[in-house]
Amino acid sequence: MNSFIMESTEKKSRVPARLDFLQSGTGLILGLFMWVHMLLICSIILGKGSFNFVAKTMELAFLSDNGQGFPIAVFFAVFIIFTLFIIHALLGVRKFPISWKQHRIIVDQMQMMKHQDTNLWYIQVFTGFIMFFAGSVHLYTMLTNPGSIGPYMSADRIVSGNMWPLYIILLICVELHATIGIYRLCMKWGWFAGKDARKSRAKLKTLKNRLTIFFLSIGILALLVFVVIGIKHKDRAGERYDNHAAAEHVQADDKALETNILEEEIAIEKITIENPSREIEKIISEEINDSHDKIPAPEAEHDWEIKQPADTTHEVQ
Ligand code: HEM
């Protein structure tokens, strides 16, 4: 009895609250990052060119003279996100039910309360646990291959590199975790509460569900587009889009040139067929001109004579 009273008079530590604040802060940044990240990834739906443009812009290619990007920029971005990811996970572990007994209590409570937000919390724990592994694999891959982001390189990683199962699991986990997380932050810190808290809560919940469906749908669509590109590109896996685009460009130029020559030949042929006489005239005049060019001009003839040294030996006796 005495020790309990002793404890309750001790000043409560602010550390847990500060850790909660830090967890909310890192969660908010990662959640907003994920929405932007997914919109950028989904540029592949608009075509290889637009994804390549996004990838180059993320590599700050607009700062270089030759349009080549700086993968180091992506490396630092991944490094910062990976650090936030690890801090957020570390802070999140504090809330995990670490014993079977704790787990039992939560499940019993969920079944008893049938309270949606409590269920959402359980989804957070479960998706967070999966992302410890799936998210780390993805982030480590990006950290060690910052220059390998592009329509073909990404598609090859997903298909030829067999990353697609990981991306499906990670996509479902991160989109659920990010939207539920931001919804819970609004509830926890009273953001957008408005005059009628109950009403704004219902509105925020609807928005949360719609955002989850939106990001899951575009994420799955983008993954399907990557898979189609990756299957078509299997025999040239590892080829960069830029080189391929450049090669295609040269080919197109060659083709255009060939077509031009062909068109010209057809045109000449057409003229020949339509106006044989004129043609013949033309050939003749060209011939004449040619022959004219070959006949040295009379002066020149005379010049030649002058130039010849007089052959004194042969003078007629
Ligand atoms: C700065 C850090 C990050 C970068 C540069 C990055 C980059 C990329 C890139 C380029 C892709 C396309 C596929 C590929 O090339 O392999 C991708 C896909 C994906 N990333 Fe990230 N990512 C980052 C952080 C994260 C984080 C923290 C998560 C979640 C924990 C995540 C989840 C995903 C998912 C789920 C996909 C598949 C997208 C889809 O389904 O269409 N990414 N990421």
Side-chain angles (χ1 to χ4, degrees):
M1 192 61 192
N2 290 343
S3 61
F4 176 74
I5 292 167
M6 279 295 293
E7 248 176 47
S8 64
T9 52
E10 240 174 58
K11 200 164 160 289
K12 277 211 172 293
S13 160
R14 285 177 173 278
V15 173
R18 289 204 181 110
L19 294 180
D20 274 358
F21 184 76
L22 201 58
Q23 188 182 0
S24 300
T26 50
L28 180 66
I29 297 169
L30 286 168
L32 295 177
F33 163 81
M34 276 321 302
W35 286 350
V36 175
H37 162 286
M38 205 41 77
L39 291 175
L40 293 176
I41 300 298
C42 289
S43 59
I44 194 71
I45 300 170
L46 304 174
K48 292 181 220 136
S50 51
F51 186 79
N52 195 53
F53 172 76
V54 169
K56 288 286 165 220
T57 310
M58 290 300 121
E59 287 179 2
L60 309 180
F62 52 86
L63 294 177
S64 72
D65 304 335
N66 57 7
Q68 285 306 316
F70 306 97
I72 191 83
V74 176
F75 173 83
F76 279 116
V78 181
F79 185 81
I80 294 166
I81 294 293
F82 210 165
T83 313
L84 285 175
F85 182 82
I86 293 170
I87 294 172
H88 184 73
L90 197 63
L91 294 165
V93 168
R94 294 170 310 140
K95 309 279 170 97
F96 271 40
I98 44 178
S99 66
W100 175 246
K101 193 172 164 217
Q102 283 183 359
H103 187 264
R104 214 35 274 162
I105 292 170
I106 290 174
V107 172
D108 291 348
Q109 240 181 13
M110 279 160 60
Q111 281 161 357
M112 191 179 64
M113 293 170 67
K114 295 192 174 24
H115 181 240
Q116 238 193 22
D117 284 19
T118 311
N119 301 349
L120 288 181
W121 184 83
Y122 193 76
I123 297 174
Q124 283 305 78
V125 171
F126 183 73
T127 52
F129 182 73
I130 303 277
M131 283 197 288
F132 277 163
F133 312 101
S136 307
V137 173
H138 173 52
L139 284 163
Y140 185 75
T141 310
M142 288 297 131
L143 193 69
T144 49
N145 305 282
S148 71
I149 300 175
Y152 287 142
M153 304 288 271
S154 296
D156 294 338
R157 189 177 12 254
I158 291 171
V159 175
S160 307
N162 297 318
M163 282 288 271
W164 61 269
L166 182 119
Y167 279 140
I168 294 176
I169 295 168
L170 190 56
L171 177 71
I172 297 167
C173 288
V174 75
E175 291 318 329
L176 284 172
H177 196 92
T179 34
I180 294 172
I182 292 181
Y183 165 76
R184 284 173 56 81
L185 286 181
C186 295
M187 293 304 110
K188 189 171 182 162
W189 302 100
W191 298 336
F192 313 110
K195 291 198 184 69
D196 182 343
R198 195 174 278 277
K199 221 171 165 193
S200 55
R201 186 185 194 125
K203 272 197 193 141
L204 281 171
K205 205 169 267 182
T206 317
L207 182 63
K208 173 190 73 67
N209 294 340
R210 288 190 183 149
L211 281 171
T212 310
I213 294 166
F214 170 72
F215 280 110
L216 273 179
S217 327
I218 60 167
I220 289 166
L221 189 58
L223 209 51
L224 285 175
V225 174
F226 273 124
V227 168
V228 171
I229 297 172
I231 291 171
K232 282 191 188 149
H233 197 247
K234 238 185 171 177
D235 55 340
R236 277 170 290 140
E239 177 199 35
R240 297 189 74 90
Y241 177 76
D242 315 357
N243 303 349
H244 183 88
E248 264 192 350
H249 209 62
V250 172
Q251 263 173 13
D253 285 356
D254 288 353
K255 262 218 180 72
L257 197 63
E258 258 169 47
T259 334
N260 282 352
I261 293 168
L262 212 63
E263 274 163 10
E264 255 179 42
E265 278 168 4
I266 291 167
I268 291 169
E269 218 153 286
K270 215 158 152 242
I271 294 170
T272 324
I273 294 161
E274 281 159 11
N275 313 294
S277 57
R278 198 191 303 156
E279 193 47 37
I280 295 164
E281 270 164 32
K282 207 172 123 217
I283 294 168
I284 293 169
S285 63
E286 272 167 15
E287 289 290 326
I288 293 168
N289 291 343
D290 286 354
S291 55
H292 265 302
D293 295 349
K294 287 200 195 86
I295 301 165
E299 295 80 53
E301 214 178 82
H302 179 63
D303 292 350
W304 183 80
E305 261 169 24
I306 297 170
K307 282 196 198 91
Q308 297 304 321
D311 179 358
T312 49
T313 53
H314 299 307
E315 266 176 27
V316 184
Q317 300 296 329

